[in-house]
Amino acid sequence: MNTEAQVRPTNRARSDIDAARPALAGPADALPPHVWFCVSAIFHYLGPAFAVLLFAQVGVLGMAWLRIATAALVFAPLTRPWTVFTHADRSARLLLLAFGACLAVMNCSFYLALDRLPISLVAAIEFVGTIGVALVGLRSPGNFAALAIAAAGTLLLIGVKWSSDPVGLFWAFLNGALFIGYIVLGHRIARTGLGIAGLGTAMAIAFLVVLPVGFSEALPAFSAPQLLIAGIGVGICSSVIPYICDQLAMARLPRASFALMLSLLPLSATLIGVVVLRQVPSLTDCLGIALVVTGVATHKPATDA
């Protein structure tokens, strides 16, 4: 039985969801889904790079609170989450609650891991989960080879290093597991018609989840305008732009294809390092980038979702 077909917004909610769709619905259909993914890949590491610099001022959970609060406030007037949730049926509500909780805990565990471990190790653990998601949708030996090439390139690129910090590893593995949930639940949201309106509703739920957790650590930002502006910028770069682009890509990309394309994230991290941090990649890094691009270029999307 197709469970995705059962999770549909009610007729009354459909009009509210249609009214909540952003003005970029036209460009969303005109541009290939891969374009939206590439935009997401760029901003995926811009936000965390700036967030780490703010940990000393607002704390790890305070930064996670600012990130989610910013996204929730940006989405609220565009998607009217209270209306979408109220008019959704029971199955859709459960899906939104699960997606919101996943977003909240995933963002917190991601920052807690970054506070204790190198970002390369956190990214490596995160990518292990995406391989499992991609394997579920593979339909040909060619796709398996493409995934293997992309995985090999990613491992070369990030330079996996194990750590003796068990707490940091716990948060990193939790983030990796929840990242799988983000892909699976995000695809269900995209394919059931909720789309960005559902994303905005889930983000509001995520804000309610983290409200009692990180608010006290985020308080210093409210007395320092520059710090507050920086926190808002991190939220927009981390949870608004990439999540919207992910939904626009997920709506037309099979789940396995989206998971494989996530191997581009180390590539975007390397490019951001060159431009922002002046970190020139080594020959090994360049080889890893070439393998990742080759894997993505040669993989064939599955015909089903």
Side-chain angles (χ1 to χ4, degrees), residues 194-230:
L194 292 169
I196 295 175
L199 173 62
T201 305
M203 194 60 68
I205 294 170
F207 172 68
L208 295 177
V209 173
V210 301
L211 181 59
V213 177
F215 179 70
S216 60
E217 289 191 17
L219 279 176
F222 292 96
S223 59
Q226 291 182 338
L227 190 58
L228 181 60
I229 292 173

Short mmCIF file of all heavy atoms in Angstrom, two decimals, residues 194-230:
data_model
loop_
_atom_site.label_atom_id
_atom_site.label_comp_id
_atom_site.label_asym_id
_atom_site.label_seq_id
_atom_site.Cartn_x
_atom_site.Cartn_y
_atom_site.Cartn_z
N LEU A 194 2.16 19.14 0.56
CA LEU A 194 2.39 20.14 1.60
C LEU A 194 3.54 21.08 1.24
O LEU A 194 3.48 22.28 1.47
CB LEU A 194 2.67 19.45 2.94
CG LEU A 194 1.49 18.69 3.55
CD1 LEU A 194 1.96 17.83 4.71
CD2 LEU A 194 0.41 19.65 4.01
N GLY A 195 4.60 20.51 0.67
CA GLY A 195 5.71 21.31 0.15
C GLY A 195 6.26 22.32 1.14
O GLY A 195 6.47 22.02 2.32
N ILE A 196 6.49 23.55 0.67
CA ILE A 196 7.09 24.58 1.49
C ILE A 196 6.15 25.01 2.61
O ILE A 196 6.60 25.39 3.69
CB ILE A 196 7.51 25.78 0.61
CG1 ILE A 196 8.62 25.34 -0.36
CG2 ILE A 196 7.99 26.95 1.45
CD1 ILE A 196 9.03 26.38 -1.35
N ALA A 197 4.83 24.95 2.37
CA ALA A 197 3.89 25.24 3.44
C ALA A 197 4.06 24.24 4.57
O ALA A 197 4.01 24.60 5.76
CB ALA A 197 2.46 25.20 2.90
N GLY A 198 4.29 22.98 4.23
CA GLY A 198 4.54 21.98 5.26
C GLY A 198 5.87 22.20 5.95
O GLY A 198 6.00 21.98 7.16
N LEU A 199 6.87 22.65 5.19
CA LEU A 199 8.17 22.96 5.78
C LEU A 199 8.04 24.07 6.81
O LEU A 199 8.61 24.01 7.90
CB LEU A 199 9.16 23.34 4.68
CG LEU A 199 10.53 23.84 5.13
CD1 LEU A 199 11.27 22.77 5.92
CD2 LEU A 199 11.35 24.29 3.93
N GLY A 200 7.29 25.12 6.45
CA GLY A 200 7.09 26.21 7.39
C GLY A 200 6.37 25.76 8.65
O GLY A 200 6.69 26.21 9.76
N THR A 201 5.41 24.87 8.50
CA THR A 201 4.68 24.34 9.65
C THR A 201 5.60 23.50 10.52
O THR A 201 5.59 23.61 11.75
CB THR A 201 3.49 23.50 9.18
OG1 THR A 201 2.67 24.29 8.31
CG2 THR A 201 2.66 23.02 10.35
N ALA A 202 6.41 22.65 9.89
CA ALA A 202 7.36 21.83 10.65
C ALA A 202 8.38 22.69 11.37
O ALA A 202 8.80 22.38 12.49
CB ALA A 202 8.05 20.84 9.70
N MET A 203 8.80 23.79 10.75
CA MET A 203 9.77 24.68 11.39
C MET A 203 9.17 25.35 12.61
O MET A 203 9.85 25.57 13.62
CB MET A 203 10.27 25.72 10.39
CG MET A 203 11.50 26.47 10.85
SD MET A 203 12.93 25.39 11.14
CE MET A 203 13.30 24.86 9.46
N ALA A 204 7.88 25.70 12.54
CA ALA A 204 7.21 26.26 13.71
C ALA A 204 7.16 25.23 14.84
O ALA A 204 7.33 25.57 16.03
CB ALA A 204 5.80 26.71 13.34
N ILE A 205 6.92 23.98 14.49
CA ILE A 205 6.91 22.91 15.50
C ILE A 205 8.31 22.74 16.09
O ILE A 205 8.48 22.57 17.30
CB ILE A 205 6.42 21.60 14.86
CG1 ILE A 205 4.95 21.74 14.45
CG2 ILE A 205 6.61 20.42 15.82
CD1 ILE A 205 4.43 20.59 13.60
N ALA A 206 9.34 22.81 15.23
CA ALA A 206 10.72 22.71 15.71
C ALA A 206 11.03 23.83 16.70
O ALA A 206 11.73 23.62 17.70
CB ALA A 206 11.69 22.75 14.53
N PHE A 207 10.52 25.02 16.42
CA PHE A 207 10.75 26.15 17.32
C PHE A 207 10.14 25.88 18.70
O PHE A 207 10.75 26.17 19.74
CB PHE A 207 10.16 27.43 16.73
CG PHE A 207 10.19 28.59 17.67
CD1 PHE A 207 11.39 29.18 18.04
CD2 PHE A 207 9.01 29.10 18.20
CE1 PHE A 207 11.42 30.25 18.92
CE2 PHE A 207 9.03 30.16 19.08
CZ PHE A 207 10.24 30.74 19.44
N LEU A 208 8.95 25.31 18.73
CA LEU A 208 8.32 24.99 20.01
C LEU A 208 9.13 23.94 20.77
O LEU A 208 9.19 23.97 22.00
CB LEU A 208 6.89 24.49 19.77
CG LEU A 208 5.90 25.51 19.19
CD1 LEU A 208 4.55 24.85 18.94
CD2 LEU A 208 5.77 26.71 20.11
N VAL A 209 9.76 23.01 20.03
CA VAL A 209 10.56 21.97 20.67
C VAL A 209 11.81 22.56 21.33
O VAL A 209 12.16 22.20 22.46
CB VAL A 209 10.95 20.88 19.65
CG1 VAL A 209 11.93 19.88 20.27
CG2 VAL A 209 9.70 20.15 19.15
N VAL A 210 12.48 23.48 20.65
CA VAL A 210 13.74 24.03 21.17
C VAL A 210 13.53 25.24 22.07
O VAL A 210 14.48 25.71 22.70
CB VAL A 210 14.70 24.42 20.03
CG1 VAL A 210 15.04 23.22 19.17
CG2 VAL A 210 14.14 25.56 19.20
N LEU A 211 12.30 25.76 22.14
CA LEU A 211 12.04 26.98 22.91
C LEU A 211 12.56 26.89 24.34
O LEU A 211 13.25 27.80 24.81
CB LEU A 211 10.54 27.28 22.90
CG LEU A 211 10.10 28.55 23.66
CD1 LEU A 211 10.78 29.78 23.08
CD2 LEU A 211 8.58 28.69 23.61
N PRO A 212 12.28 25.81 25.08
CA PRO A 212 12.78 25.76 26.46
C PRO A 212 14.24 25.30 26.57
O PRO A 212 14.81 25.33 27.66
CB PRO A 212 11.85 24.73 27.13
CG PRO A 212 11.47 23.80 26.02
CD PRO A 212 11.42 24.65 24.77
N VAL A 213 14.84 24.90 25.46
CA VAL A 213 16.18 24.31 25.51
C VAL A 213 17.28 25.35 25.34
O VAL A 213 18.24 25.38 26.12
CB VAL A 213 16.32 23.21 24.42
CG1 VAL A 213 17.74 22.65 24.42
CG2 VAL A 213 15.30 22.11 24.65
N GLY A 214 17.15 26.22 24.35
CA GLY A 214 18.24 27.13 24.03
C GLY A 214 17.98 28.60 24.28
O GLY A 214 18.86 29.43 24.04
N PHE A 215 16.79 28.92 24.80
CA PHE A 215 16.45 30.34 24.95
C PHE A 215 17.38 31.06 25.92
O PHE A 215 17.82 32.18 25.65
CB PHE A 215 15.00 30.48 25.43
CG PHE A 215 14.57 31.90 25.65
CD1 PHE A 215 14.40 32.76 24.57
CD2 PHE A 215 14.36 32.40 26.92
CE1 PHE A 215 14.02 34.08 24.75
CE2 PHE A 215 13.98 33.72 27.12
CZ PHE A 215 13.80 34.56 26.03
N SER A 216 17.70 30.42 27.04
CA SER A 216 18.55 31.09 28.03
C SER A 216 19.95 31.38 27.47
O SER A 216 20.53 32.43 27.75
CB SER A 216 18.66 30.24 29.31
OG SER A 216 19.22 28.96 29.01
N GLU A 217 20.50 30.46 26.65
CA GLU A 217 21.81 30.69 26.07
C GLU A 217 21.76 31.76 24.98
O GLU A 217 22.76 32.44 24.71
CB GLU A 217 22.36 29.38 25.48
CG GLU A 217 22.77 28.36 26.53
CD GLU A 217 23.56 27.21 25.93
OE1 GLU A 217 24.07 27.36 24.80
OE2 GLU A 217 23.67 26.16 26.59
N ALA A 218 20.60 31.91 24.34
CA ALA A 218 20.46 32.89 23.26
C ALA A 218 20.22 34.30 23.78
O ALA A 218 20.32 35.27 23.01
CB ALA A 218 19.33 32.49 22.32
N LEU A 219 19.90 34.46 25.06
CA LEU A 219 19.55 35.78 25.62
C LEU A 219 20.60 36.86 25.37
O LEU A 219 20.24 38.01 25.09
CB LEU A 219 19.27 35.64 27.12
CG LEU A 219 17.88 35.14 27.51
CD1 LEU A 219 17.78 34.98 29.02
CD2 LEU A 219 16.80 36.09 26.99
N PRO A 220 21.93 36.56 25.49
CA PRO A 220 22.92 37.63 25.25
C PRO A 220 22.80 38.29 23.88
O PRO A 220 23.16 39.46 23.73
CB PRO A 220 24.25 36.89 25.38
CG PRO A 220 23.95 35.74 26.30
CD PRO A 220 22.57 35.32 25.95
N ALA A 221 22.27 37.58 22.90
CA ALA A 221 22.15 38.15 21.56
C ALA A 221 21.15 39.30 21.52
O ALA A 221 21.28 40.21 20.70
CB ALA A 221 21.75 37.07 20.56
N PHE A 222 20.16 39.28 22.42
CA PHE A 222 19.13 40.31 22.40
C PHE A 222 19.62 41.64 22.97
O PHE A 222 18.95 42.66 22.82
CB PHE A 222 17.89 39.82 23.16
CG PHE A 222 17.19 38.69 22.47
CD1 PHE A 222 17.43 37.37 22.83
CD2 PHE A 222 16.28 38.93 21.45
CE1 PHE A 222 16.80 36.32 22.21
CE2 PHE A 222 15.63 37.88 20.81
CZ PHE A 222 15.89 36.58 21.18
N SER A 223 20.75 41.63 23.63
CA SER A 223 21.33 42.87 24.15
C SER A 223 22.52 43.34 23.31
O SER A 223 23.17 44.32 23.65
CB SER A 223 21.78 42.68 25.60
OG SER A 223 22.73 41.64 25.71
N ALA A 224 22.79 42.64 22.23
CA ALA A 224 23.90 43.00 21.32
C ALA A 224 23.38 42.94 19.89
O ALA A 224 23.31 41.86 19.30
CB ALA A 224 25.08 42.06 21.51
N PRO A 225 22.98 44.09 19.32
CA PRO A 225 22.38 44.10 17.98
C PRO A 225 23.21 43.40 16.91
O PRO A 225 22.66 42.67 16.08
CB PRO A 225 22.23 45.61 17.68
CG PRO A 225 22.15 46.24 19.02
CD PRO A 225 23.04 45.42 19.92
N GLN A 226 24.52 43.61 16.92
CA GLN A 226 25.36 42.98 15.91
C GLN A 226 25.34 41.46 16.04
O GLN A 226 25.31 40.74 15.04
CB GLN A 226 26.79 43.49 16.01
CG GLN A 226 26.96 44.95 15.60
CD GLN A 226 28.40 45.41 15.67
OE1 GLN A 226 29.22 44.83 16.36
NE2 GLN A 226 28.72 46.47 14.93
N LEU A 227 25.33 40.99 17.27
CA LEU A 227 25.28 39.55 17.51
C LEU A 227 23.94 38.97 17.08
O LEU A 227 23.87 37.88 16.49
CB LEU A 227 25.53 39.26 18.99
CG LEU A 227 25.75 37.80 19.40
CD1 LEU A 227 26.92 37.20 18.66
CD2 LEU A 227 25.96 37.72 20.91
N LEU A 228 22.86 39.72 17.34
CA LEU A 228 21.53 39.26 16.94
C LEU A 228 21.42 39.21 15.42
O LEU A 228 20.87 38.24 14.87
CB LEU A 228 20.47 40.19 17.52
CG LEU A 228 19.01 39.82 17.21
CD1 LEU A 228 18.68 38.45 17.76
CD2 LEU A 228 18.07 40.87 17.79
N ILE A 229 21.94 40.23 14.75
CA ILE A 229 21.91 40.24 13.29
C ILE A 229 22.71 39.07 12.72
O ILE A 229 22.30 38.42 11.75
CB ILE A 229 22.45 41.58 12.75
CG1 ILE A 229 21.49 42.72 13.11
CG2 ILE A 229 22.65 41.52 11.23
CD1 ILE A 229 22.02 44.09 12.76
N ALA A 230 23.85 38.78 13.34
CA ALA A 230 24.66 37.65 12.89
C ALA A 230 23.90 36.34 13.07
O ALA A 230 23.93 35.46 12.20
CB ALA A 230 25.98 37.62 13.66
#
